[in-house]
């Protein structure tokens, strides 16, 4: 069997995460060569937990459970974006950090992408709405119906973005992270 045929047969699972402190989206895609399909997607409801610390604990437990069940080869996360409320940004960053820690505890490589990069990769428009992203995923991943909470489709978009950029972009610690994010989003600097 030639090198090309072996490469096409290689399978990998990518877990995409859309961090949140009230609702966290997750989506898993199976990649075979240049083909991909959704495995599972959904949301982790966190609003019912009273303290931020308990939410972080639940994030770690649920992401670890998803990792243990599906054994992803890579984890891709959407980078937090700077909004009006600094406290919200800090909480979101902690949620993302806990999800990263769950992956790193299992020695799974992680990458992060700015919201603009994810939207650009999936729709061709870095300013696309959540609804536009979901509609494009419906076509690309042949999803029958769009879930009520778009955090799930956002997470699938992150996983798909990673597939599209894997090897050309970043792993945490190389060219990814806040520096890349700020370079891609100069309008977020205030």
């Amino acid at each position: 069997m030639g090198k090309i045929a072996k490469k096409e047969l290689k399978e990998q699972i990518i877990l995409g995460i859309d961090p949140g402190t009230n609702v966290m989206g997750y989506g898993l895609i199976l990649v075979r060569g240049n083909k991909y399909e959704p495995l599972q997607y959904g949301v982790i409801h966190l609003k019912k937990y009273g303290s931020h610390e308990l939410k972080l604990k639940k994030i770690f437990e649920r992401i670890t459970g998803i990792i243990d069940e599906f054994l992803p080869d890579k984890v891709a996360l959407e980078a937090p974006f700077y909004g009006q409320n600094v406290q919200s940004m800090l909480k979101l960053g902690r949620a993302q950090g806990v999800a990263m820690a769950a992956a790193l505890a299992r020695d799974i490589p992680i990458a992060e992408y700015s919201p603009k990069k994810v939207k650009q990769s999936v729709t061709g428009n870095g300013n696309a709405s959540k609804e536009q992203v979901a509609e494009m995923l419906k076509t690309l991943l042949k999803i029958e119906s769009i879930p009520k909470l778009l955090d799930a489709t956002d997470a699938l978009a992150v996983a798909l973005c990673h597939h599209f950029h894997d090897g050309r972009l970043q792993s945490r610690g190389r060219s990814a992270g806040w520096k890349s994010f700020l370079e891609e989003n100069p309008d977020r600097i205030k």
Side-chain angles (χ1 to χ4, degrees), residues 119-159:
K119 292 173 183 179
Q120 177 70 37
S121 298
V122 173
T123 68
N125 176 2
N127 296 313
S129 68
K130 284 178 167 282
E131 293 78 12
Q132 289 171 315
V133 170
E135 284 296 330
M136 184 58 80
L137 287 171
K138 190 174 175 184
T139 301
L140 291 172
L141 296 174
K142 298 172 181 67
I143 298 170
E144 288 184 27
S145 63
I146 296 172
K148 182 179 175 184
L149 295 174
L150 297 181
D151 305 83
T153 49
D154 284 353
L156 280 172
V158 175

Side-chain angles (χ1 to χ4, degrees), residues 14-125:
I14 302 170
L15 169 59
I17 299 174
D18 179 28
T21 55
N22 289 322
V23 176
M24 179 174 276
Y26 67 91
L28 293 122
I29 61 170
L30 173 63
V31 178
R32 287 185 192 104
N34 288 326
K35 298 182 190 269
Y36 43 84
E37 63 184 78
L39 283 180
Q40 171 96 19
Y41 53 95
V43 296
I44 301 168
H45 294 278
L46 300 161
K47 204 170 196 172
K48 60 186 170 193
Y49 301 109
S51 72
H52 185 62
E53 294 79 15
L54 185 55
K55 289 179 181 186
L56 295 176
K57 180 182 180 210
K58 292 300 178 183
I59 290 168
F60 188 83
E61 289 172 355
R62 291 294 308 279
I63 295 297
T64 299
I66 292 167
I67 288 170
D68 290 347
E69 181 178 351
F70 291 96
L71 304 172
D73 299 287
K74 299 175 182 175
V75 173
L77 300 102
E78 190 171 89
F81 58 91
Y82 180 76
Q84 297 293 338
N85 187 333
V86 174
Q87 283 300 317
S88 294
M89 171 102 175
L90 287 171
K91 288 180 179 178
L92 188 59
R94 289 178 189 147
Q96 182 198 35
V98 169
M100 287 176 160
L104 293 172
R106 297 291 194 266
D107 293 320
I108 301 170
I110 59 172
E112 62 181 330
Y113 298 89
S114 71
K116 192 173 201 123
K117 175 66 86 181
V118 171
K119 292 173 183 179
Q120 177 70 37
S121 298
V122 173
T123 68
N125 176 2

